[in-house]
Amino acid sequence: QVQLVESGGGLVQAGGSLRLSCATSGRTFGSYHMGWFRQAPGKEREFVAGIRWSGGNTFYGDSVKGRFTISRDNDKNTAYLQMNSLKPEDTAVYYCAARVSFDYADYETPATYDYWGQGTQVTVSS
């Protein structure tokens, strides 16, 4: 069992930056593949970024490529999402998630993740 706690959300102007953190409990963080998702009101949960357990492979949704960077520090049991050049359409609740197994076919699918945080609100004003 692992618990995930996001932080770092807030209100920022368009063009600004935020860094989200996902702190995890447990001693097996390094074995989990991590993902960031977001959900805006009235919309489905959307894949934002993912990172393999080793940090050697990263993946991004099309809408954030070139602007967001996912990373992890296995010594600190924490995953990060650096968000630059933020746009109003990035406004959403952002969730981090963890999964035990990895599959290139479905890493963008929320239902394939085993553990979720409670979410942190990101609001980008125009």
Side-chain angles (χ1 to χ4, degrees):
Q1 187 76 14
V2 62
Q3 293 183 326
L4 312 176
V5 180
E6 302 96 335
S7 62
L11 174 64
V12 64
Q13 289 188 333
S17 298
L18 283 174
R19 189 175 83 152
L20 304 184
S21 298
C22 176
T24 69
S25 64
R27 293 174 291 179
T28 59
F29 172 76
S31 65
Y32 290 100
H33 310 287
M34 302 298 295
W36 285 96
F37 291 78
R38 66 187 182 187
Q39 189 165 21
K43 294 189 176 181
E44 294 186 351
R45 194 163 295 192
E46 174 190 18
F47 173 78
V48 175
I51 187 167
R52 297 288 300 274
W53 69 271
S54 65
N57 298 93
T58 57
F59 312 90
Y60 297 93
D62 289 341
S63 61
V64 307
K65 283 180 182 177
R67 300 188 298 122
F68 291 10
T69 303
I70 189 171
S71 62
R72 66 189 296 160
D73 185 334
N74 288 349
D75 291 333
K76 295 183 177 179
N77 291 348
T78 302
Y80 304 96
L81 184 68
Q82 178 66 43
M83 305 186 295
N84 298 330
S85 302
L86 283 161
K87 305 175 182 179
E89 51 263 43
D90 293 318
T91 296
V93 177
Y94 283 71
Y95 299 90
C96 70
R99 57 185 286 175
V100 174
S101 61
F102 182 82
D103 190 330
Y104 282 101
D106 62 16
Y107 65 84
E108 296 184 351
T109 304
T112 63
Y113 285 74
D114 303 296
Y115 305 102
W116 289 85
Q118 82 290 347
T120 186
Q121 176 70 47
V122 172
T123 302
V124 184
S125 63
S126 57

